[in-house]
Amino acid sequence: MPALNVEFSPEEMARLRERATIAGKSLKQHVHDVTVEEADRIAFVEGAIAEAERILPDVTDRFPAGLR
């Protein structure tokens, strides 16, 4: 399985360990989950922006005064 070797400062590592403990996960699982969730969030936002750009011309045609 592919893997990453990522370096963190001691302060960053301490924060990650704390968050993993709060989440009830191992550090490895926490970092995996946060990384994948962020990639998914970015993909969602990009999709939402693309959809808004696709439908916005029709919305502004139907409501020429604009949305308030």
Side-chain angles (χ1 to χ4, degrees), residues 7-42:
E7 296 181 12
F8 298 97
S9 71
E11 296 81 13
E12 292 168 334
M13 187 61 79
R15 291 197 320 264
L16 287 170
R17 287 186 197 284
E18 181 181 356
R19 296 306 307 165
T21 299
I22 291 168
K25 299 178 182 178
S26 69
L27 178 60
K28 183 177 180 179
Q29 187 64 53
H30 176 67
V31 171
H32 169 273
D33 292 352
V34 168
T35 304
V36 171
E37 288 168 5
E38 178 63 4
D40 290 347
R41 185 192 69 77
I42 290 169

Side-chain angles (χ1 to χ4, degrees), residues 39-56:
D40 290 347
R41 185 192 69 77
I42 290 169
F44 174 83
V45 169
E46 289 171 344
I49 290 168
E51 182 64 8
E53 289 173 345
R54 185 186 71 78
I55 67 168
L56 188 58

